[in-house]
Amino acid sequence: MQDVAMRVLEEISQKGEKDFDQIGLELKNVPVNRKAASNAMESLFQEELAAEKEFANQHPLMEEYSPAILLLEEMSADKPIQITEHTYLKKDGSGLMDKDGNEVSNFVVEDFRLLVDFDDSRVQEYIFDVRLRSGRKYSLQMSVEEFRRGDWCEKLHGLSCKQRRLLGEYCRKLSSDSGVKKLYQTKGVGWVQDPKSNKFFFVTESGEVTGEVFSISPKIAGAELIPSPDLNEIDIAKNFLEMRNLTRSPVALIMMVYTVMAVMYSLFKYAVGAPKFLLALVGEASTGKTSLAMAIVNLYCRSRSTEPLNSLRSTITSIEQNLAYFKDSVMVVDDLYPAESNMQKNKLETTLESVIRMFGDASAKKRSRAFENYETQGLALLTGEYFAGGTSSLSRCMQLNLKKGDVNFELLSVYQNERKMVPSYFLWNFVKFCTVNQSKIIAKIRNTVERIRREKSPEFSKERTANIEAYMAATMDVMLEYFCSIALYDSMESQNMNEMFLHILENILHENERMMEESSPKARMLMFLKSILEEDSGKLVNVQACNYRSDYYIWNEYLFVYPVALVADMKNQSKSTGFYLDVNESIIKNLLKDEGLLCKTKEGETNRFSTKVPFAKKLNDNRRFYKINIERLRELGICVNCSM
């Protein structure tokens, strides 16, 4: 019979809520007039109760409803509501009491919800509000076990519990209710994979983009992807594509594709492995590097951010701690500039090298047991007035050179103001497309990357360069498929756009490889050697005609070089050009040997790579010199005047 009563109560409640909505008195929308709203609900309740009584009196066959009416009458009376077997809500709702009216607590729990980790459903916490008799509220979050024990109230000022056992009973009753609302939470903004279905979903601060996963939110801020409040999908895509006109060169287009690839980072990682390269935007001061980067690639708190969160002036630890904010997006690291002192220069370039290795290897790093395990989950863009690093570091970057006059500052101002959120609107729609078609897109990524790697590897000297083209080409493929799906491009336009992009991309990558070769330590040392021997030829003296000591002698098509002097001169040359090389005798000796420049001299039974200079006694010079073949120098393009 109690079930019948509860069913009647539920029907009355539903009808009351419907009537309540009709007269426009939703409690959540009138927080300032709760008493009036409560009175309105009570009035409706009493009217329904009177109608049920009249109906029961007019229909004697409905006797089974009599107990229900009695129960409703009892509930409408000014009596405490029983919550558990031994606990009741006080008449004024200000706390809990036992059946004898003795106080259990001076507070009640409201808005009780279960917070579940989307990646691991075993990790669960409760979030709820505690309302005190005074009206003050606490918002709390704690583990399931801690809440069920009930001892948490002792840690909060103002909360009083006089019967701990009954409070524990109350907490266990709340937590065992199957109707508790569940909220899901992810570590941050970006893609998450459902452990059961293996399906990917993109979670933003506005929720999951398709709406398929309800009540889900990230723990921390990240890429700000939001739906447009007024623009349609095609107009948003057109506005996004117009951003390629932010530069007169293809720099803006490459940055746009790189941004889209970052948003697809987790899909790439799942399909073929994470992208392992950075973008380096290099140009003179005041060319608009940072402004361009923030307008195109930055998604972190986009509506509020005007400056990069990270700088090469920061410590590498602080940059690592910010990695979580850039999951499936681009971290802008600003900026490499000519430092005033060697100490400052070394600090900037050391941080630069660490950032390049961090994103170029896409691996987790754990400093010690006391530190969190930091892992790159997105991409990075570096800005600077120059670029530094060895061949290994340079191969992990795609360098874009920005020249003065390249940036369209008038259009840039538009995308910094009224069109600032266009990338966020576009990527919301794009990510939604990727979520719905993820099986097809993952297969396309896999096929394109493997094909480009296979076809382009022979064309480049570095395998990493072919990888860069493969990942960028796969990103453009997915973008074009999206444009075709919304009827922005037809198949012919899509093909032309793809061919144009690949042509631009390959030209940039070949230029990058050329700069890499010129910037390698080996190439730099040969360049410095050429400068020493050609531009400062006064150092060279003919050993036979000379009557004083020198560090550079010429005799019979051979050049005799004092190693200590050569090391010092190379260091001075490197400092003067801005490409500092930490060279020593061993490094230079190996270079000369590898290039076939260093001649062996037989002394007794031993062949040595250093020797005394001819006429050493006459010159009173017993130092040991490198003996270098001048003919081989000429083959390498280094001219030495032997006529002196």
Side-chain angles (χ1 to χ4, degrees), residues 113-117 123-127 141 183-185:
R113 293 157 293 167
L114 179 63
L115 193 63
V116 183
D117 190 313
V123 180
Q124 299 184 354
E125 292 183 325
Y126 287 124
I127 53 175
Q141 180 173 335
L183 301 177
Y184 291 94
Q185 194 169 56

Side-chain angles (χ1 to χ4, degrees), residues 541-547 553-555 560 613-616 618-619:
V541 296
N542 187 306
V543 67
Q544 198 167 6
C546 180
N547 56 8
Y553 295 107
I554 290 178
W555 186 69
F560 293 85
V613 70
F615 309 103
K618 181 189 81 168
L619 297 171

Side-chain angles (χ1 to χ4, degrees), residues 300-350:
Y300 172 72
C301 297
R302 185 175 179 88
S303 60
R304 305 183 296 277
S305 297
T306 56
E307 297 293 332
L309 183 64
N310 302 280
S311 166
L312 290 175
R313 293 184 293 276
S314 309
T315 64
I316 190 62
T317 302
S318 67
I319 293 175
E320 288 173 346
Q321 289 172 340
N322 288 335
L323 287 175
Y325 299 126
F326 297 92
K327 184 177 188 294
D328 294 306
S329 66
V330 181
M331 174 189 281
V332 177
V333 185
D334 201 43
D335 83 289
L336 187 62
Y337 61 92
E340 295 180 358
S341 66
N342 283 335
M343 182 180 294
Q344 190 178 17
K345 180 177 183 292
N346 290 338
K347 181 182 180 299
L348 288 171
E349 294 186 3
T350 300

Side-chain angles (χ1 to χ4, degrees), residues 426-596:
F426 170 78
L427 290 167
W428 173 278
N429 295 330
F430 178 77
V431 162
K432 191 173 182 179
F433 167 79
C434 291
T435 306
V436 173
N437 302 282
Q438 59 186 263
S439 298
K440 183 179 179 182
I441 286 170
I442 288 171
K444 178 179 279 290
I445 288 172
R446 190 175 288 123
N447 293 337
T448 303
V449 169
E450 291 174 355
R451 175 176 58 81
I452 297 291
R453 278 174 175 167
R454 185 173 57 252
E455 293 176 358
K456 299 298 180 180
S457 288
E459 297 183 16
F460 296 105
S461 60
K462 303 287 183 185
E463 186 177 342
R464 283 182 178 272
T465 310
N467 269 338
I468 292 174
E469 180 172 352
Y471 279 84
M472 294 287 282
T475 304
M476 177 55 80
D477 271 359
V478 178
M479 287 176 65
L480 292 172
E481 184 155 332
Y482 167 69
F483 293 142
C484 290
S485 74
I486 60 173
L488 182 62
Y489 283 169
D490 59 27
S491 58
M492 183 60 68
E493 289 172 323
S494 174
Q495 183 179 344
N496 291 340
M497 177 71 174
N498 193 45
E499 289 176 357
M500 179 270 293
F501 175 74
L502 290 178
H503 177 71
I504 290 170
L505 182 63
E506 288 179 8
N507 285 342
I508 292 173
L509 293 175
H510 280 298
E511 178 64 17
N512 277 193
E513 284 209 333
R514 185 190 66 78
M515 289 190 296
M516 234 185 295
E517 289 297 323
E518 292 180 355
S519 301
S520 68
K522 172 182 168 181
R524 287 182 188 175
M525 284 193 287
L526 288 173
M527 179 181 70
F528 296 151
L529 183 61
K530 178 182 175 71
S531 177
I532 292 167
L533 298 180
E534 290 184 357
E535 298 175 15
D536 196 6
S537 58
K539 289 177 177 288
L540 308 181
V541 296
N542 187 306
V543 67
Q544 198 167 6
C546 180
N547 56 8
Y548 58 89
R549 284 173 45 140
S550 175
D551 294 324
Y552 297 88
Y553 295 107
I554 290 178
W555 186 69
N556 285 354
E557 290 294 314
Y558 290 104
L559 176 66
F560 293 85
V561 179
Y562 183 48
V564 176
L566 182 58
V567 169
D569 288 340
M570 278 203 174
K571 285 184 176 181
N572 290 332
Q573 281 285 329
S574 68
K575 287 179 182 177
S576 65
T577 57
F579 296 108
Y580 181 72
L581 282 177
D582 188 16
V583 294
N584 55 42
E585 288 187 33
S586 177
I587 292 174
I588 292 178
K589 177 180 171 182
N590 289 332
L591 169 71
L592 297 175
K593 284 168 59 178
D594 292 343
E595 294 300 321

